[in-house]
Amino acid sequence: MTYSIGEAEELTGIKSHILRYWEEVIPCFAPKKDLGGRRVYTERDIDLILRLKYLINERKFTIEGARDEILRETRDYDSKAETLDSIRQIRSELSRMYMLIRKYRK
């Protein structure tokens, strides 16, 4: 499933101008763009946004510190891949259900 920048903002609580800034300073965060040039966020992008949000807001990392932590975690990913994939699948299903509920509430 993919999301527009507005949907990514709604799902994560991170404003779109901050998402665009993070694209510039976080090397592994680069959402694809569709044929019209609009950003398209994947589940992986949403996971990364939520992780950055946690590191910056809860753990009080600077953006540079959060970037370095994300890069370190990426290197450690292989040892935790199965668990992280399960979490990603659950989050994806929850996101899908949230968007469906939102659609039918309007």
Side-chain angles (χ1 to χ4, degrees):
M1 183 166 205
T2 60
Y3 306 95
S4 68
I5 194 166
E7 291 170 331
E9 180 178 346
E10 186 172 335
L11 285 171
T12 63
I14 301 295
K15 299 287 185 187
S16 58
H17 68 277
I18 295 172
L19 294 175
R20 289 189 295 272
Y21 171 70
W22 285 357
E23 287 178 41
E24 296 174 19
V25 297
I26 308 294
C28 54
F29 181 52
K32 303 264 188 261
K33 293 190 178 179
D34 65 12
L35 294 175
R38 293 174 298 268
R39 288 167 175 81
V40 178
Y41 293 85
T42 64
E43 291 296 329
R44 181 190 172 282
D45 295 325
I46 299 296
D47 290 345
L48 184 57
I49 293 166
L50 292 171
R51 184 66 181 149
L52 285 166
K53 178 181 177 181
Y54 170 77
L55 291 172
I56 293 168
N57 294 338
E58 302 296 324
R59 300 271 316 273
K60 305 301 181 195
F61 278 67
T62 63
I63 189 70
E64 294 82 10
R67 178 194 61 218
D68 294 344
E69 180 69 9
I70 293 290
L71 292 173
R72 185 192 62 72
E73 290 172 356
T74 301
R75 288 189 298 269
D76 295 341
Y77 178 80
D78 289 338
S79 65
K80 303 171 190 164
E82 188 174 317
T83 302
L84 293 172
D85 284 340
S86 295
I87 291 169
R88 184 172 289 115
Q89 289 174 1
I90 291 167
R91 186 176 292 138
S92 175
E93 184 62 20
L94 289 171
S95 296
R96 189 187 65 74
M97 285 190 277
Y98 173 79
M99 297 308 280
L100 278 172
I101 290 169
R102 188 175 141 248
K103 177 181 175 182
Y104 289 108
R105 286 183 102 187
K106 291 183 177 181

